[in-house]
Amino acid sequence: MSKGPIIAVVSVIILVLGVIGWFQLRDHTSSQGTAAAGACVEGDATLHVAADPDIAGPIRDLAERFTATHPVVRDHCVAVSVQDADSAAVTDALLAAPDGPWNADLGPEPALWIPATSGPVNRLADTGVVAGRPKSVASSPVVLAAPRELALALTAADTGWQNLPALQSGRDALAQMGLGGWGNLRLALPTGPGSGATAAALDAIAAATANVGAGPLDDAQAASPRVTSAIATLAAGSRAIENAPATTADALAALSSQRDPQSAPVHAVPATEQQMIAAGDRASGLTAFAPSGATPVADHPGAVLATPWVDETLTRAAAQFVDFLRQPEQQQSLVEAGFRSGDRTPSATDDIPVPDLGQVLVPATGPAAARLASTFATPAMPRTTTILLDVSGSMGYADGAGTRLSNTVDALAARLAALPDRSHVGLWVYSRGLDGSKPYQVKVPTGPLTDSDRRQRLESALTSLRPATATSTYASLIAAHDSAVDGFVDGRPNSVLLITDGPNDDTSTTARQLTDALAGAAHPVRVDVLSIAENSDQVTLQATADRTGGTLVAVPSTAAPDLGDALGKLLA
């Protein structure tokens, strides 16, 4: 057979197969385009993530990796955008407006929030703004970053979290550990962006002080005198540091650059292990010291928000992104960035040994975390105060569920329980006929709360009070002020706290006599006044407070929260 026909037939077959293949490829390409277009028929959606600055960088890198997979959620093409957002600022914003609007100063409205620790999430437990149970995306233990000599001495002394307040407040406390020339511990406690380690360290100190082991610390324990005194001591020491660093990163840089660590304004700062690793040369010369006791951990929970601006698409996208972050490949990237993931840990060095965590601290409950934050922000500092409480007949008037007197007694008892042990407190009451010829009665003389039964005596005296008759405000205030001047304690505020619903019924002592009696005292004892309801004597009492350097706070009722707030200010 001639080759020509065969070649012709083969050529025709090849041509036919080529045409069929082209049509199949065109149809396949067309169907792919149609499928892709159909998958995102609802358009694009951006998942905004608010991440604490200590993890925002690595999360941003992983967000780009996630977006590159072209995720589709409920017919939306999803992209992820990550913003740095301080954990405390986000907490405050969500507490202030759980139903919106979102505080735009913190960036776009987030559907996913990754704070440094679970503490902020716990504080929001009763608001309903967090959906489900957040999962940790990366963790890092909180340590103290300190010069090597100091870290080694603290380790040798088996220093625990509960020892830090005493080391900070005690004179030459470090010298007793063989660190001559160091004085007391100067511990920086920054609260700026990326400083979540401070709150975690305070939680560990409070839990160790209250002896609750691995926790969690509850509200009653957080309000105990031992804990509030420890937190107040730390707050005072931190505020006393001249030009104190605002953030953990600033503190690490300042510590590393010090030529003479002994005389430096800062000796140590709480930081996560990861922050020390990430700081690199900016943390050179510093060693990670882990105090004994349960270890606080920055667990970086991925909290999906249940707020009005988060729809079902963003909710699912946020959950999908959290699952993506927890996959082995992404977890390895986070370990390489200095975080821990399960059994995987970053590489150890002599200064950052990356030890086993041992007992991990369970973060404080929401109310306890809020109380610790409040105590640190507005600590009750050691002071000497004589409380002068009006128990006249008008204090028996009904006010809400109780009386003016019963409500005031309850609020006073709560505030006294929160005062640090180093405070000196006394209780006087006044009304005619209480103590023979005197219009006042000393229920508990002013003295240290460290006295074995003083707190109990104050509580018993308060609960025993009953309304009497008329008032002798001016005469009683003169006597209480004279006593406070005679018992003046150096190195702290000294005051008389007058609590009254007025007016002064005793015309034998005038306002002018009151002014003259308080003038020219041998020691500066201020008069603070809590004025209740309509008080016709308020102008005179305001002038008295002003002249002595004190403060007058007026509350319209004892049944409102204003009473507790006022006592918190006047007995701060």
Side-chain angles (χ1 to χ4, degrees):
M1 180 181 290
S2 171
K3 293 182 179 180
I6 295 174
I7 293 173
V9 171
V10 170
S11 298
V12 169
I13 292 172
I14 292 174
L15 178 62
V16 170
L17 290 175
V19 170
I20 293 172
W22 184 85
F23 277 109
Q24 288 178 333
L25 178 61
R26 184 193 66 180
D27 292 343
H28 179 67
T29 302
S30 176
S31 65
Q32 278 189 322
T34 301
C40 295
V41 292
E42 296 295 335
D44 297 331
T46 300
L47 169 64
H48 291 291
V49 180
D52 192 86
D54 75 336
I55 198 172
I59 295 298
R60 189 173 291 110
D61 293 339
L62 296 177
E64 293 178 0
R65 186 185 299 178
F66 178 74
T67 301
T69 66
H70 304 293
V72 177
V73 177
R74 299 183 78 235
D75 295 330
H76 290 80
C77 289
V78 175
V80 180
S81 176
V82 179
Q83 288 77 38
D84 290 39
D86 178 52
S87 297
V90 173
T91 305
D92 291 342
L94 292 173
L95 282 172
D99 296 323
W102 170 249
N103 183 352
D105 292 340
L106 299 178
E109 298 171 332
L112 178 64
W113 174 38
I114 307 179
T117 72
S118 289
V121 176
N122 290 348
R123 289 185 61 188
L124 296 167
D126 295 332
T127 64
V129 300
V130 176
R133 194 185 197 104
K135 301 175 183 177
S136 170
V137 300
S139 66
S140 188
V142 174
V143 298
L144 290 189
R148 190 172 293 112
E149 180 184 1
L150 174 57
L152 293 175
L154 293 171
T155 301
D158 193 26
T159 304
W161 290 103
Q162 74 278 7
N163 301 130
L164 298 181
L167 289 177
Q168 188 182 53
S169 61
R171 179 171 297 179
D172 295 328
L174 295 179
Q176 300 177 26
M177 299 170 55
L179 293 173
W182 284 76
N184 60 330
L185 177 66
R186 293 186 283 278
L187 180 64
L189 294 168
T191 57
S195 302
T198 290
L202 292 175
D203 189 1
I205 292 164
T209 300
N211 196 27
V212 296
L217 187 79
D218 64 27
D219 189 37
Q221 292 158 342
S224 68
R226 290 179 62 194
V227 170
T228 56
S229 181
I231 300 301
T233 297
L234 292 166
S238 178
R239 286 167 173 74
I241 296 174
E242 187 175 354
N243 298 320
T247 68
T248 300
D250 292 342
L252 290 173
L255 278 166
S256 180
S257 64
Q258 292 169 162
R259 294 184 178 181
D260 181 12
Q262 292 185 19
S263 61
V266 175
H267 288 156
V269 65
T272 64
E273 181 182 81
Q274 188 275 338
Q275 285 176 312
M276 292 190 67
I277 293 172
D281 292 341
R282 290 172 295 157
S284 62
L286 302 180
T287 297
F289 164 65
S292 61
T295 302
V297 173
D299 56 344
H300 300 95
V304 180
L305 298 184
T307 49
W309 59 83
V310 181
D311 59 18
E312 181 65 21
T313 298
L314 293 177
T315 297
R316 293 189 185 184
Q320 188 171 322
F321 182 52
V322 170
D323 289 341
F324 175 82
L325 293 175
R326 290 167 55 84
Q327 292 173 0
E329 183 179 356
Q330 282 64 250
Q331 289 290 287
Q332 183 57 38
S333 296
L334 289 167
V335 170
E336 291 170 0
F339 294 96
R340 297 191 183 205
S341 173
D343 294 333
R344 286 181 284 184
T345 61
S347 299
T349 67
D350 290 341
D351 286 326
I352 308 175
V354 192
D356 292 337
L357 295 185
Q359 190 179 47
V360 174
L361 180 68
V362 179
T365 64
R371 188 176 294 276
L372 289 179
S374 175
T375 301
F376 183 73
T378 56
M381 304 307 297
R383 57 185 300 150
T384 297
T385 300
T386 299
I387 299 169
L388 180 60
L389 177 59
D390 179 354
V391 292
S392 63
S394 59
M395 288 293 284
Y397 290 174
D399 197 0
T403 65
R404 290 177 181 175
L405 183 58
S406 65
N407 293 338
T408 301
V409 164
D410 290 344
L412 261 178
R415 187 55 191 165
L416 289 176
L419 291 180
D421 286 337
R422 290 185 296 152
S423 293
H424 293 199
V425 179
L427 176 64
W428 291 33
V429 297
Y430 73 96
S431 183
R432 289 183 188 174
L434 287 179
D435 190 9
S437 61
K438 298 177 182 178
Y440 57 85
Q441 187 176 46
V442 179
K443 288 290 189 179
V444 181
T446 302
L449 289 177
T450 50
D451 288 354
S452 59
D453 64 343
R454 183 170 299 276
R455 287 185 184 274
Q456 183 178 351
R457 289 162 60 198
L458 286 166
E459 182 179 353
S460 297
L462 284 170
T463 56
S464 69
L465 297 179
R466 300 292 182 270
T469 58
T471 62
S472 295
T473 302
Y474 298 169
S476 300
L477 181 53
I478 291 171
H481 191 267
D482 286 347
S483 177
V485 171
D486 291 341
F488 186 84
V489 180
D490 286 322
R492 61 175 59 197
N494 286 244
S495 65
V496 173
L497 172 57
L498 170 64
I499 304 174
T500 180
D501 64 353
N504 175 57
D505 297 322
D506 182 1
T507 58
S508 66
T509 305
T510 66
R512 177 61 182 271
Q513 288 173 311
L514 172 64
T515 300
D516 292 343
L518 300 186
H523 298 290
V525 175
R526 72 173 188 249
V527 175
D528 294 320
V529 182
L530 177 56
S531 179
I532 297 169
E534 293 289 335
N535 187 343
S536 60
D537 219 18
Q538 192 165 306
V539 173
T540 298
L541 296 179
Q542 180 71 69
T544 300
D546 292 343
R547 289 192 185 95
T548 60
T551 301
L552 183 144
V553 177
V555 295
S557 167
T558 60
D562 293 350
L563 178 63
D565 295 341
L567 288 173
K569 178 179 180 180
L570 297 172
L571 281 174

